[in-house]
């Protein structure tokens, strides 16, 4: 399975940033290095106003574009919202769903995430479903239980697991510079894999990429991305600058 390196730009970005994909490719040429580059898929998730223009900017660069959210309805009186079909029309092919910032600030509870995931699948896009415990839950020894429950309720019942990416992002590690120990990441990813096997069966579950996110940086990427069930990274801060994003991509096994 290829490693997926996904940059989540959050609410950062302006039209001048359409230069970034070409800058990235200058630093990390596609298929130039048989040892690594052709084994890494690159995804950039810019703010909604840039989706279409970023798809155009990535033409011929082998970089995919994803959205950071979508609505669960196809169309209607939902001021300020964008449907999964609308995301698909821009040429983007992934949608990040249930990011902890959306869960904490915009009411994206598990049921909402499941409905959005369902809409994303229906639109032919790949959902990246985010899960992760907060600090209190980690300290209380409930991290695995919390993540297992989020997974169960955030993936819609009809999903077959064939088109699905999971991102494990401990809330306390996002934007904080704090990172779980390698052992804790490995334990959680193994737990998530187990949950997916229970849900979808081994052959399907084994092909689901499980990304790690939360203060992933050039300095820690190599050891984290080398862990057995870590299929890539979801990168916030370090994904805004192409030199650090390229350094992370370079660190992929
Ligand atoms: P961070 O954010 O890399 O800045 O910690 C990750 C994320 O929120 O997806």
């Amino acid at each position: 399975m290829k490693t997926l390196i996904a940059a989540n730009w959050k609410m950062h970005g302006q039209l001048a940033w359409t230069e970034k994909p070409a800058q990235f490719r200058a630093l990390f040429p596609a298929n130039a290095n048989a040892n690594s580059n052709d084994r890494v898929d690159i995804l950039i998730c810019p703010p909604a106003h840039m989706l279409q223009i970023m798809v155009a900017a990535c033409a011929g660069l082998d970089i995919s574009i994803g959205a950071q959210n979508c609505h669960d309805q196809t169309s209607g009186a939902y001021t300020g919202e964008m449907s999964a079909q609308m995301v698909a029309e821009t040429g983007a092919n992934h949608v990040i769903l249930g990011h902890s910032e959306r869960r904490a600030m915009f009411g994206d509870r598990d049921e909402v995430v499941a409905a959005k995931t369902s809409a994303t699948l229906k639109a032919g896009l790949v959902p990246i479903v985010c899960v992760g415990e907060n600090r209190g839950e980690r300290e209380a020894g409930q991290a695995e239980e919390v993540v297992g429950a989020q997974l169960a309720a955030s993936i819609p019942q009809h999903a077959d697991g064939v088109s699905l990416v999971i991102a494990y992002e401990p809330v306390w590690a996002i934007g904080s510079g704090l990172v779980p120990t390698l052992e804790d990441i490995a334990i959680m990813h193994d737990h998530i894999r187990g949950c997916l096997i229970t849900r979808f069966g081994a052959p399907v579950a084994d092909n689901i990429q499980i990304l790690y996110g939360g203060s992933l940086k050039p300095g820690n990427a190599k050891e984290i991305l080398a862990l057995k069930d870590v299929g890539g990274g979801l990168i916030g801060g370090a994904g805004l600058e192409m030199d650090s994003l390229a350094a992370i991509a370079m660190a992929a096994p």
Side-chain angles (χ1 to χ4, degrees), residues 8-13 17 45-49 68 101 106 240:
N8 170 15
W9 280 2
K10 309 191 179 183
M11 201 169 75
H12 300 288
W17 288 27
C45 302
H49 78 298
Q68 300 171 14
E101 287 150 17
F106 304 103
L240 298 175

Side-chain angles (χ1 to χ4, degrees), residues 7 20 25-26 79 87 118 120 126 132 136 146 157 163 180 187 203 221 234 251:
K20 288 188 184 253
R25 274 302 176 214
T79 302
V87 173
S118 182
T120 296
V126 181
V146 165
Q157 287 311 318
S163 175
I187 289 171
L234 182 56

Side-chain angles (χ1 to χ4, degrees), residues 6-10 96 99-101 130 167 169-171 173-178 212-217 234-239:
N8 170 15
W9 280 2
K10 309 191 179 183
I96 299 173
H99 187 281
S100 69
E101 287 150 17
C130 302
E169 299 202 302
V171 179
I174 294 175
S176 64
L178 302 171
Y212 170 78
S215 297
L216 193 63
K217 303 264 185 290
L234 182 56
I235 301 140

